[in-house]
Amino acid sequence: AAAQDARRGADLAAHACANCHGANGRSQMEGIPSLAGQPAGFITVQMILFREGIRQVAAMNAFAADMPDKDIEDLAAYFASLPPGPPDDRRPRDAALFAAGQALSGPRNCAVCHVSDYGGRAQIPRIASQREEYLVHALTEYRAGQRAAIDTQMNGAVAGMPDADIAALAHYLSQLD
């Protein structure tokens, strides 16, 4: 198989992805995740889940429908090649909320999969400096069993987590470099 082509992925992204996910992979739209610096394997898996209708996000399902593997892999290579964005600055750091989120991340074993700097690896996403409201949305969907993943570990990790804890964890992660 041919190697992933980040240059080709950049061309594909400029025509389709930039409107929502940002020209530099850093989303400026509420509810839309930043993709810059995400592991290529993670983006590839998510795009396949969208394409196959396993993960339901109407705009992404339509976009990914019938997308060839080569396009998915090239897009993934492109976004993985971009430097991740700085911490989410749409909301100033709240010291108490940050500390509460930091305290939750250990017992919830977040760093086991997402690695110690929350930069992700392989099929595990980078969650450091992700949009705060997107993290709240994603964690809430996992808790409710509404989000498909390649396994159920995230669903279990947030099972029973109160909204206040989800908000604290999302704030903490969004503020990390």
Side-chain angles (χ1 to χ4, degrees):
Q4 295 175 343
D5 185 345
R7 282 190 190 156
R8 182 172 176 275
D11 290 339
L12 293 169
H15 293 92
C17 307
N19 289 338
C20 297
H21 293 283
N24 57 4
R26 297 181 194 146
S27 172
Q28 299 301 309
M29 294 180 66
E30 187 168 333
I32 306 294
S34 293
L35 300 178
Q38 288 291 349
F42 170 72
I43 293 174
T44 299
V45 167
Q46 295 306 303
M47 291 298 295
I48 291 169
L49 292 173
F50 290 132
R51 181 181 70 191
E52 302 304 320
I54 297 167
R55 183 167 172 210
Q56 294 296 313
V57 175
M60 290 304 300
N61 296 121
F63 173 71
D66 301 319
M67 184 177 280
D69 289 347
K70 174 75 172 134
D71 289 0
I72 289 173
E73 292 169 357
D74 291 349
L75 282 169
Y78 166 66
F79 286 114
S81 74
L82 296 175
D88 186 354
D89 64 357
R90 285 170 282 276
R91 177 178 174 184
R93 182 182 284 192
D94 177 310
L97 200 56
F98 183 89
Q102 185 175 31
L104 288 165
S105 68
R108 294 288 174 164
N109 296 315
C110 301
V112 171
C113 296
H114 295 277
V115 301
S116 62
D117 67 354
Y118 301 103
R121 63 182 164 88
Q123 294 91 13
I124 310 296
R126 174 184 175 79
I127 53 178
S129 69
Q130 186 56 266
R131 292 182 63 94
E132 184 173 347
E133 89 286 338
Y134 180 77
L135 290 169
V136 168
H137 174 75
L139 292 168
T140 302
E141 281 189 336
Y142 279 121
R143 180 185 65 192
Q146 297 171 330
R147 180 170 280 208
I150 55 175
D151 61 35
T152 59
Q153 288 186 25
M154 276 303 302
N155 304 90
V158 297
M161 184 181 263
D163 289 346
D165 288 356
I166 285 177
L169 187 57
H171 183 73
Y172 167 67
L173 294 168
S174 75
Q175 297 294 310
L176 298 176
D177 279 324

